[in-house]
Amino acid sequence: MNMKKLLIIGGVAGGASAAARARRLDENAEIILFERGPDISFANCGLPYHIGGTIADREKLLVTTPQMMTSKFNIDVRTLSEVVSIDREKKEIAVKNLKTGEEYTEAYDALVLSPGAAPIRPPIPGIDNPNVLTLRNLEDMDLIIQSLANKKSAAVIGGGYIGLEMAEALREIKMDTTLIELAPQVMGPADPEMASVLHQELRLFGVNLKLETSVTAFEEAGDGVDLILSDGERLHVDLAILAIGVKPEATLAVDAGLELGTTGGIKVNDHMLTSDPAIYAVGDAVEVTDFTTGQPALIPLAGPANRQGRIAADNIFGGDSSYKNTQGTAICKVFNLAIGMTGLSEKMAKRQNISYEKVYVHPASHASYYPGSHPISLKLLFDPASGKVLGAQAVGADGVDKRIDVLAVAIRAGLTVYDLEEMELTYAPPYGSAKDAVNYAGFVASNVLRGDAKLCHVEDVCNPTENQMVVDVRNPEEVEGGTVPGAKNIPLGQLRGKLDELSKDREYLILCQVGLRGYLACRIMTQNGFKCRNLTGGYKTYSMTTAQHLPDVPENDQSTDDPGAETINMTEKESAAGKVVKHIDTSGLQCPGPIMSLKTALDELQPGEALTILSTDHGFAADIPAWCNSTGNQLDNVAPAAGGGYEATITKRQGGAVCSMIPQETKRFTNVVFSNDLDRALASFIIANGAATMGYEVTLFFTFWGLNILRKNGPMTLKKTMIEKMFGRMMPQGPDKLSLSQLHMAGMGTAMMKDVMKKKNVSTLPELIKAAQANGVKMVACTMTMDLMGIKSEELIDGLEEGGVAMYIDHLGNNANLFI
């Protein structure tokens, strides 16, 4: 194009990049840049960090000024100038000078639109209240800082990038902060299990997180504002900040008759050209093509906007540059953690019906023996046929950016998981590992494609079929911190010696902590003729997926002055119940390392004494309450540590005095089920279901004849002695074979009772058993009587635990108990 005059509407990333590139390509062209605000190029991603004080100097947010742009590039920069219309036939624009009110026109040979995106302000009653603000530019930032002066509380509505960064910024300046999100998770582009770790982090740092909640109205309330929430709560805050999302600023384009895409963004081709041959558009206002799905999308990111500005300028001045789509590579800091992603997410794959497989790995950010190591939870999506890398997500305190960047390049280059195995990445103990996290993900995924291992996922272990059994191959002390309900514990070191207890007619779903021991267990079992699949990512992924993390921060902890400033040098500090006499630092160790170190240290303490433990494993804050509850030790506190990681204070207890971080009385109910009479079995399960629905933790302990209630119907091929076979034939096989203790009458009375129950709509015993499992009733089969009576695990229904008297007594506590 024989260019004489280029007009650019809007600065920041896209417009400023287009202007600078245009001048480098043509020294003689007339270039005018119009900006509605006073600043043409600023770091809008840095705005929350200035509000929170991390970026102290406001001037550092200015990427370039109008004066610098003019002197360096000889560009006519006109700030406080709003373009109000475009006349495509005359090839001119109408401009309003916001300082003087003057309006004038300016002709163009080529025009670049870079209007960006505007914060969404839905039509909620009261949303125009002066204490309800948004954050888009430096002026918005200045107003928020001014409005926060001498204030104590704020609410952020929306849990995306800006919402999360604003919540952190508000806590940095000691504001009582509530984060409200309509979805069940924050960070909407991420998959739910990856975002669940952020929920824990937010609450640990004192953010009052309200998920699946919306604001239905804003009401004026003195100097502040009342938020009426969808759950009926009225929340009073001094200031509310909307961070619901952004929408393309497409008004100029619509008024000019330019074509929009299906997403509402300005439609452009790969040269960034609109439906008008003289008008280009770049940045957050344009509709792009998603790199992995090929579908139209709105992906407002600074990096793509910069590239699009350059490409538009190239093509205006006779080049042939094309934009090669957006893959959505992004990262967000959330207090001590970062979450990063690139390419396809699992929920996007499901929406688009794209075939995929996934693996999870939880390696260290660098060599764990070098100080400062942190675990990374990495999720990799790949094509199950070709192995092509489709997407990745990672969360952790360190090294997330490096891994996501490498995987973003792999996706852009069309690499496969086999290529990830061969990647040669930098290694020295302070920076990485000989087997980097990216290599590790490649190894796991490649093993699956080669057939060396079969995977199962969390939904499989949560809902095993009748022909499946979940086996936890971790050590018993690890299982104390929690396991999958119904899982049988066979430590890896004992597995070879217990293979004769397993059936080759069943499929075994194996889990360990992060997947490695599960893989080894599957290799052992597969080579011995057993069917098995390994839970990818192990119990750590299960915990993330089922969101077994910290409960809400107690109300009295939500407004603490500085939840993260407490020093870790607490040797002489008094805890709630004991004097702290020891501190252990398990930085760099991944689970079960911190828990094992804790157990060893507690063994050396006297009852009533306390210790503090520092861990950099982001799963530790969720694991430690469960472990203390299981072992009877008292968790006094868990909080972020000053230098990163998490610190807990634990008091050693004796005799099973179980306390949790949030003091509350746990209602428990136990029942020893000794009989296999139908009426007694019905009574046991009716009472158990009733107690469960009333909020009790219910445990049924089946011993001697009561074990027959849990037997499966139908013939089974098992190795048994003659005595065991005789017992099996003489005892009833399952709930449908039980008889009444009274009036059985050779089967007539039992049949009559079942008929009456059916007519009266009383649930059958099998139905009551299923209901009990659904209500969370814990059913424990006595291993001693199983052995005495020749009953094998394979004969019993799924979802049971096996244990002895100690397990039963532990569940009993000081609460109600029956014996039927």
Side-chain angles (χ1 to χ4, degrees), residues 573-595:
K573 178 184 173 182
E574 289 287 335
S575 75
K579 184 176 182 180
V580 175
V581 298
K582 193 171 188 176
H583 174 74
I584 55 176
D585 187 341
T586 64
S587 299
L589 292 181
Q590 296 194 61
C591 189
I595 295 296

Side-chain angles (χ1 to χ4, degrees), residues 76-141:
D76 183 355
V77 178
R78 303 180 187 179
T79 57
L80 297 174
S81 297
E82 182 178 8
V83 176
V84 294
S85 66
I86 301 170
D87 189 327
R88 292 166 55 195
E89 289 187 7
K90 293 182 180 180
K91 295 183 71 172
E92 67 179 23
I93 62 172
V95 185
K96 181 177 182 179
N97 186 321
L98 298 180
K99 291 178 287 188
T100 66
E102 173 196 2
E103 290 195 18
Y104 62 94
T105 61
E106 197 76 55
Y108 64 84
D109 292 311
L111 180 66
V112 174
L113 297 178
S114 179
I120 295 172
R121 292 181 71 94
I124 301 172
I127 198 167
D128 293 326
N129 185 293
N131 289 311
V132 180
L133 305 179
T134 58
L135 180 62
R136 183 189 186 188
N137 52 38
L138 290 168
E139 290 69 45
D140 292 341
M141 178 191 74

Side-chain angles (χ1 to χ4, degrees), residues 324-652:
K324 298 177 175 62
N325 304 332
T326 303
Q327 64 190 75
T329 304
I331 192 167
C332 183
K333 179 181 180 294
V334 184
F335 295 101
N336 282 348
L337 294 180
I339 183 168
M341 62 204 75
T342 185
L344 193 70
S345 67
E346 184 175 3
K347 52 189 177 185
M348 189 190 306
K350 289 179 177 178
R351 284 198 301 266
Q352 300 290 339
N353 292 317
I354 297 173
S355 178
Y356 71 94
E357 181 56 280
K358 60 181 177 178
V359 296
Y360 299 85
V361 294
H362 305 280
S365 58
H366 62 245
S368 57
Y369 55 82
Y370 188 88
S373 172
H374 294 264
I376 298 172
S377 293
L378 174 62
K379 177 180 184 177
L380 183 74
L381 272 70
F382 57 96
D383 188 300
S386 67
K388 183 178 178 181
V389 181
L390 300 176
Q393 297 173 41
V395 62
D398 179 55
V400 167
D401 53 344
K402 171 182 175 180
R403 276 67 188 204
I404 291 298
D405 283 345
V406 170
L407 290 165
V409 174
I411 293 170
R412 179 68 64 170
L415 302 184
T416 69
V417 296
Y418 306 115
D419 296 313
L420 301 186
E421 290 183 295
E422 303 300 328
M423 278 189 173
E424 187 173 322
L425 304 172
T426 56
Y427 163 57
Y431 305 108
S433 301
K435 295 178 182 178
D436 189 82
V438 173
N439 300 132
Y440 190 19
F443 295 147
V444 176
S446 298
N447 281 341
V448 174
L449 295 183
R450 293 188 182 109
D452 294 336
K454 292 184 178 180
L455 296 182
C456 64
H457 298 289
V458 172
E459 52 267 31
D460 298 315
V461 299
C462 287
N463 300 285
T465 66
E466 291 186 0
N467 199 41
Q468 293 174 330
M469 174 181 282
V470 181
V471 176
D472 189 333
V473 297
R474 296 177 297 162
N475 295 325
E477 54 268 32
E478 296 174 72
V479 177
E480 285 179 341
T483 187
V484 174
K488 181 181 180 68
N489 182 213
I490 305 178
L492 179 62
Q494 302 175 21
L495 181 60
R496 289 182 177 89
K498 293 195 173 186
L499 290 177
D500 58 349
E501 299 178 13
L502 306 178
S503 170
K504 293 183 179 179
D505 294 329
R506 306 190 79 174
E507 182 180 50
Y508 294 91
L509 307 180
I510 310 298
L511 75 129
C512 63
Q513 186 62 30
V514 296
L516 177 57
R517 282 174 288 174
Y519 169 66
L520 298 176
C522 271
R523 295 302 299 156
I524 293 169
M525 296 182 69
T526 300
Q527 293 177 75
N528 280 278
F530 291 90
K531 294 177 290 186
C532 71
R533 289 189 284 152
N534 183 30
L535 175 62
T536 177
Y539 185 72
K540 194 163 190 175
T541 298
Y542 170 83
S543 296
M544 292 168 63
T545 305
T546 55
Q548 293 187 355
H549 294 285
L550 286 179
D552 289 336
V553 175
E555 289 183 7
N556 59 355
D557 288 341
Q558 288 176 6
S559 58
T560 54
D561 286 340
D562 190 353
E566 192 173 8
T567 176
I568 64 172
N569 185 18
M570 302 169 63
T571 311
E572 296 301 324
K573 178 184 173 182
E574 289 287 335
S575 75
K579 184 176 182 180
V580 175
V581 298
K582 193 171 188 176
H583 174 74
I584 55 176
D585 187 341
T586 64
S587 299
L589 292 181
Q590 296 194 61
C591 189
I595 295 296
M596 301 294 290
S597 299
L598 172 62
K599 183 178 185 301
T600 301
L602 276 177
D603 286 344
E604 299 172 357
L605 268 58
Q606 297 298 316
E609 292 181 332
L611 60 74
T612 60
I613 176 173
L614 176 67
S615 173
T616 53
D617 184 348
H618 59 74
F620 175 79
D623 294 340
I624 189 63
W627 186 85
C628 287
N629 189 64
S630 175
T631 59
N633 294 293
Q634 178 175 301
L635 177 60
D636 299 317
N637 182 55
V638 59
Y646 309 92
E647 185 178 65
T649 305
I650 297 100
T651 298
K652 182 172 182 177

Side-chain angles (χ1 to χ4, degrees), residues 610-814:
L611 60 74
T612 60
I613 176 173
L614 176 67
S615 173
T616 53
D617 184 348
H618 59 74
F620 175 79
D623 294 340
I624 189 63
W627 186 85
C628 287
N629 189 64
S630 175
T631 59
N633 294 293
Q634 178 175 301
L635 177 60
D636 299 317
N637 182 55
V638 59
Y646 309 92
E647 185 178 65
T649 305
I650 297 100
T651 298
K652 182 172 182 177
R653 288 298 178 208
Q654 187 174 9
V658 180
C659 299
S660 65
M661 188 175 67
I662 303 175
Q664 58 182 12
E665 183 180 355
T666 301
K667 300 188 297 181
R668 293 183 175 181
F669 171 80
T670 57
N671 186 2
V672 179
V673 185
F674 183 82
S675 169
N676 60 213
D677 291 327
L678 176 60
D679 42 352
R680 292 188 171 107
L682 287 168
S684 299
F685 279 95
I686 290 171
I687 295 171
N689 279 306
T693 58
M694 293 174 64
Y696 284 81
E697 292 183 4
V698 182
T699 301
L700 299 181
F701 187 75
F702 295 84
T703 185
F704 284 94
W705 318 118
L707 287 168
N708 294 309
I709 301 170
L710 306 177
R711 292 178 71 191
K712 294 178 180 177
N713 293 325
M716 300 185 68
T717 304
L718 296 170
K719 292 182 179 179
K720 286 193 172 190
T721 65
M722 183 177 295
I723 296 296
E724 290 173 339
K725 290 178 181 178
M726 289 177 60
F727 266 119
R729 293 191 188 101
M730 290 187 293
M731 294 186 298
Q733 191 172 9
D736 287 328
K737 304 296 183 182
L738 305 188
S739 59
L740 293 174
S741 62
Q742 303 290 329
L743 303 175
H744 175 54
M745 297 184 295
M748 291 177 58
T750 301
M752 290 170 60
M753 177 61 74
K754 289 182 177 180
D755 185 59
V756 171
M757 289 171 61
K758 183 176 180 180
K759 291 178 179 177
K760 298 288 186 179
N761 291 319
V762 177
S763 297
T764 65
L765 183 54
E767 290 171 341
L768 288 169
I769 293 173
K770 287 183 178 179
Q773 290 179 313
N775 286 328
V777 173
K778 190 182 296 291
M779 290 187 275
V780 181
C782 177
T783 51
M784 182 271 291
T785 49
M786 285 174 63
D787 187 53
L788 284 177
M789 302 171 70
I791 295 177
K792 306 295 185 184
S793 300
E794 291 79 2
E795 293 180 83
L796 302 180
I797 63 174
D798 296 320
L800 304 178
E801 294 186 25
E802 296 178 13
V805 174
M807 177 185 285
Y808 159 65
I809 295 298
D810 178 62
H811 287 263
L812 171 61
N814 297 317

